[in-house]
Amino acid sequence: MRMSRYILVGILFGMTLYKAEAVSWFRIYEMFKFQSFHMYGIILSAIVLGILVVQTIKRRHMHAVDGQEIKINDKDKHWPRYIIGGFIFGLGWALAGVCPGPMFILMGSGYTVFIVFLLAAMTGTFVYGALRSKLPH
Amino acid sequence: MVPDFLIQIKDFISQPWPWYVAGPMIVVIMSILLFFGKEFGLSANFRTMCAADGAGDMADFFRFDWQSQGWNLLVALGAVFGGYLAANYFASPDGNVAHVSEATVNSLHSLGFNFEDGKVPLVPEFYDWNALFTWRGLLIIVGGGFLVGFGARYAGGCTSGHAISGMSALQLGSLYAVIGFFAGGLFMTYVLFPLIFH
């Protein structure tokens, strides 16, 4: 089935973050305490390589498997939503030690309590969706 | 009998992965998705799941063609499988350990964490259903989940969508978001943790 390729990508993602200990609450704590290069190495090497990949795709007008040119949408540049939303996200990231990817990964590793975390995250997203028009963006 | 070289491959994969393997691997994942015509970002799934549960009746934000986002739900499902495989078949030779620095072990100690054999486990003990019956566990799992879900959608993305995808595409908005992520994380770690963990 064509859709199964996305499951394989997800498996690779899950294995990578688990084996690199990026799913560890203690690694996230270490990062915010600036006590190791490990997490910064992961993020920075990904950004540097990612820039090279994206620039190459753009310059050569590369095409996706469906034949369409790969286009990367520009994000809105108004800063308040990024700073305020990012700050709120950061509070949760440091507190729980997981961002959305690791949450799914840990659920599979046997920490089934993350089902509750997922429901709480969906509730958070729902509340944002309901309040959206009243929040500064 | 399993051939020797397969066991060697398994042992090789089972070692803890250094940053210079994990970082490029994340870019491989992002690139594969780009070539499938998709953008890497896990937190969009929260919105999709809300929409699939009928939230569109209550807020316009959830009224979109969520079925077109099915691919991303499959990435998340794959991540669950990946976590299962890594934990059960590719466990590190020295156990389920986070190889954090000595400085971190000391900081954790002063925060009130005690590790019997000096080894820091991969995950803390409050990742447990019973923790939901303590105020701290409830705050971390339910409060943390709410903040992550609310903040990620407010900021329009999470670590994968902004710090990796957005920064790779040199998006100014993503840089602001990452500054926000770190400001929030540092505030939690330096200002609120001493109140929560003592």
Side-chain angles (χ1 to χ4, degrees), chain A residues 51-93:
Chain A
I51 290 172
L52 290 175
V53 168
V54 171
Q55 288 304 314
T56 308
I57 288 174
K58 280 187 172 171
R59 296 244 165 96
R60 301 200 174 171
H61 301 284
M62 293 169 101
H63 292 253
V65 285
D66 62 3
Q68 297 216 7
E69 188 170 327
I70 297 173
K71 63 173 201 297
I72 292 143
N73 298 322
D74 279 333
K75 293 184 202 293
D76 167 35
K77 289 185 179 62
H78 277 271
W79 62 268
R81 68 171 301 188
Y82 299 115
I83 297 288
I84 304 169
F87 187 87
I88 295 169
F89 176 86
L91 290 175
W93 186 18

Side-chain angles (χ1 to χ4, degrees), chain B residues 35-119:
Chain B
F35 280 100
F36 289 164
K38 311 293 181 195
E39 269 189 84
F40 179 50
L42 269 295
S43 69
N45 283 315
F46 299 149
R47 184 184 176 207
T48 308
M49 288 171 177
C50 284
D53 289 339
D57 296 340
M58 287 171 272
D60 284 342
F61 183 60
F62 302 105
R63 211 168 291 150
F64 68 107
D65 177 20
W66 61 267
Q67 277 155 330
S68 69
Q69 296 296 307
W71 67 271
N72 209 349
L73 293 175
L74 292 178
V75 173
L77 181 66
V80 175
F81 288 146
Y84 174 79
L85 290 176
N88 291 287
Y89 297 99
F90 298 98
S92 300
D94 54 350
N96 227 1
V97 174
H99 299 84
V100 292
S101 65
E102 200 58 43
T104 305
V105 175
N106 293 334
S107 297
L108 286 166
H109 207 264
S110 58
L111 206 58
F113 285 88
N114 284 306
F115 308 109
E116 281 166 22
D117 48 4
K119 280 186 176 179

Side-chain angles (χ1 to χ4, degrees), chain B residues 13 69 171-172 178 191:
Chain B
I13 296 175
Q69 296 296 307
Q171 295 295 308
L172 191 59
V178 173
V191 181

Side-chain angles (χ1 to χ4, degrees), chain B residues 143-173:
Chain B
F146 186 90
L147 291 169
V148 164
F150 185 93
R153 216 63 269 127
Y154 196 162
C158 61
T159 332
S160 50
H162 276 312
I164 309 291
S165 289
M167 293 289 280
S168 292
L170 302 172
Q171 295 295 308
L172 191 59

